[in-house]
Amino acid sequence: MDFYDKDLVSIRDLDREKIEYILDLSKKMVPYARGEKVKRALDGKILGNLFFEPSTRTKLSFESAAHRLGCDVIDVSEMSMTSISKGENLADTIRMVDAYCDAIVLRHPYEGAARLAADVSENPVINAGDGAGSHPTQTLLDLFTMREAKGSLDGLNVVLVGDLKYGRTVHSLAEALTMFGVRLTLVAPESLQMPQDIVDRLRNKGCNPKKTTVLEDAIPQADVLYVTRIQKERFPDPAEYQKIAGTYRIDNSILRSAKSDMIVMHPLPRVNEIATEVDSTPHARYFQQAFNGVPVRMAILCSIMGGKIDD
Amino acid sequence: MTDPTQIADIKIPPIRNGTVIDHIANGQALNVLKILGVNESNIDSTISIGMHVPTHKGTAKWKDVVKLEDRELDPDSVDKIALIAPDATIAIIRDFYVAEKYQVQLGDRVVGLVRCSNPNCITNKGEPVTPEFYVEGRNPPRLRCVYCDRMLSKISDNLL
Ligand SMILES: Nc1ncnc2c1ncn2[C@@H]1O[C@H](COP(=O)(O)OP(=O)(O)OP(=O)(O)O)[C@@H](O)[C@H]1O
Ligand SMILES: [Mg+2]
Ligand SMILES: [Zn+2]
């Protein structure tokens, strides 16, 4: 498969076949991600972890993924913070880091930063989130989590709930899901519904999402309930925020109408979108989802940096 | 073909040689000149501008028209007009008659003509990068930023 030396900037760089390749390889990576098997497939390689924005989870899982494959990591987060404050532009920072490693993982506050980095870097760039922009490795690990739980993505009933307007993660996820003939339901307050241009794009890909403001209505048919955080900052009026946040909170009572094998996902960290009582139900899949960041990122690093895993 | 003595819709005298840009969306004549990079310091012939001219073509009631004397615009350089005036036609006038005429048409990409309307886009952050857009629709023009992936909200407000 054609990943070697290629950038991964947006999920849209991948078609269904490529996504499935990564998901299959991720599956093979699971025992290695757990440390049950060891293979230094990227021995002697160096990954540059360039985080201009704090993101503990993503950064740690990339580090863990690299180490599990025997790949060294240079962590340039602090240096990059200083270069941003010294006013060095991103293009120059990338050229410099590019010279010190074999692939770059970039997290940056500005949208489109990863595309720019990919333009200037000789080595492949993996987008680990650019502002409200795309975050393709998150999308891949979400898809992997669904597929592992359900056996297949085809024809699933997926309900996305929360902030569907600003949360770019759900935009890429929704778009990727259209490749698998998924039925989508979008649950959000009117003011946080998915933007029309994204919905149009889903339609163009043959998916006609249902929109609703009522979470209860969407639960019974759901195979997957994907919850995202509604941020306080989005609401000028704190009382309005409290009301909305309360309406879209997942707890055991709302899950009573759910199918027994329905799974609840969340990109984490959660604040109080999901009550902790849900954690011990068979529905909860968000911690598994967080773990899946490691095998999926191992599969991505391995494919892009030219490692081989034979099971 | 218009008889130059019968140009009724326009209160601009006929030109012998030059270019007529007709059917410009109402109010966009000055932006058309801006896009073409034509201004008083780099042209040494007359530019006539008709703004808010009545029209009967399509659904529009009003249009703008620009006439450049002694200057023939080539198709490549005028296609970018389609960004703000997708219905515009270009007529090359030679010896008072329309010698060539074509419709403006955007290519697949727009490079460097407009800035991204997303303030958080990396192209608006002082990086050495030229803004670039995919053309997703032609009439009305719809541009998507190659970098931040957002649709450009108002093209005429973001001309460079
Ligand atoms: N000698 C000229 N001087 C100035 N303007 C001219 C001259 N000849 C034609 N034009 C203008 O150039 C444009 C194109 O001319 P054309 O004869 O194709 O017009 P038309 O038949 O009205 O076509 P359309 O349907 O595009 O309006 C018109 O706006 C016309 O008024
Ligand atoms: Mg006419
Ligand atoms: Zn942009």
Side-chain angles (χ1 to χ4, degrees), chain B residues 49-115:
Chain B
I49 301 172
M51 291 181 78
H52 218 259
V53 178
T55 180
H56 304 289
K57 202 166 177 173
T59 53
K61 273 188 162 143
W62 306 98
K63 65 175 180 182
D64 287 1
V65 185
V66 168
K67 303 195 180 189
L68 306 171
E69 276 181 49
D70 299 324
R71 178 136 171 187
E72 293 192 8
L73 299 171
D74 68 285
D76 283 348
S77 77
V78 298
D79 277 346
K80 46 196 177 186
I81 292 172
L83 279 176
I84 50 163
D87 295 315
T89 58
I90 308 291
I92 305 295
I93 312 295
R94 289 181 197 131
D95 207 14
F96 289 112
Y97 283 93
V98 177
E100 284 170 40
K101 189 172 167 183
Y102 42 89
Q103 185 95 35
V104 296
Q105 162 101 70
L106 281 182
D108 294 334
R109 296 235 186 164
V110 168
V111 182
L113 294 169
V114 270
R115 80 172 68 82

Side-chain angles (χ1 to χ4, degrees), chain A residues 1-73:
Chain A
M1 188 62 59
D2 199 15
F3 281 98
Y4 180 64
D5 218 22
K6 297 275 196 303
D7 305 303
L8 179 55
V9 171
S10 156
I11 193 71
R12 235 177 297 150
D13 297 344
L14 308 181
D15 55 19
R16 176 173 174 146
E17 198 189 351
K18 286 190 173 140
I19 289 177
E20 284 181 329
Y21 176 86
I22 293 290
L23 302 188
D24 292 344
L25 188 56
S26 303
K27 175 106 185 155
K28 287 187 193 155
M29 290 293 179
V30 170
Y32 298 92
R34 290 211 184 98
E36 294 159 8
K37 286 187 182 178
V38 177
K39 173 96 192 207
R40 301 180 62 84
L42 295 176
D43 198 14
K45 304 266 187 184
I46 299 176
L47 179 69
N49 238 354
L50 189 47
F51 278 64
F52 284 89
E53 203 179 52
S55 173
T56 322
R57 207 170 315 272
T58 307
K59 181 160 168 278
L60 282 180
S61 74
F62 265 112
E63 266 168 29
S64 171
H67 289 312
R68 292 287 192 199
L69 292 166
C71 180
D72 281 321
V73 178

Side-chain angles (χ1 to χ4, degrees), chain A residues 21-22 37 76 98 134 147 159 162 169 182 185 195 200 206 214 224 228-229 231 242 246 253 294 299:
Chain A
Y21 176 86
I22 293 290
K37 286 187 182 178
V76 279
D98 187 27
S134 61
R147 202 179 77 167
V159 176
T169 318
V182 158
T185 305
D200 289 344
V214 186
V224 176
T228 63
R229 183 144 48 99
Q231 285 169 311
Q242 288 303 340
S253 90
V294 179

Side-chain angles (χ1 to χ4, degrees), chain B:
Chain B
M1 200 145 283
T2 317
D3 173 347
T5 60
Q6 301 294 308
I7 299 174
D9 59 334
I10 305 211
K11 295 148 190 86
I12 298 174
I15 59 177
R16 176 183 288 275
N17 296 303
T19 302
V20 177
I21 308 165
D22 195 4
H23 303 294
I24 299 170
N26 185 24
Q28 294 297 326
L30 296 176
N31 276 333
V32 164
L33 291 177
K34 187 174 170 191
I35 285 200
L36 290 174
V38 176
N39 56 55
E40 60 289 354
S41 61
N42 63 18
I43 191 162
D44 44 16
S45 57
T46 303
I47 307 169
S48 314
I49 301 172
M51 291 181 78
H52 218 259
V53 178
T55 180
H56 304 289
K57 202 166 177 173
T59 53
K61 273 188 162 143
W62 306 98
K63 65 175 180 182
D64 287 1
V65 185
V66 168
K67 303 195 180 189
L68 306 171
E69 276 181 49
D70 299 324
R71 178 136 171 187
E72 293 192 8
L73 299 171
D74 68 285
D76 283 348
S77 77
V78 298
D79 277 346
K80 46 196 177 186
I81 292 172
L83 279 176
I84 50 163
D87 295 315
T89 58
I90 308 291
I92 305 295
I93 312 295
R94 289 181 197 131
D95 207 14
F96 289 112
Y97 283 93
V98 177
E100 284 170 40
K101 189 172 167 183
Y102 42 89
Q103 185 95 35
V104 296
Q105 162 101 70
L106 281 182
D108 294 334
R109 296 235 186 164
V110 168
V111 182
L113 294 169
V114 270
R115 80 172 68 82
C116 183
S117 51
N118 171 9
N120 246 344
C121 177
I122 193 75
T123 61
N124 288 319
K125 298 293 181 182
E127 294 291 330
V129 58
T130 308
E132 189 172 336
F133 301 85
Y134 303 112
V135 176
E136 293 212 335
R138 291 198 158 72
N139 200 352
R142 287 167 47 80
L143 304 184
R144 181 181 296 282
C145 178
V146 163
Y147 290 89
C148 74
D149 205 42
R150 306 254 171 170
M151 298 304 297
L152 190 57
S153 59
K154 198 141 192 300
I155 295 175
S156 55
D157 286 352
N158 290 291
L159 293 173
L160 284 173

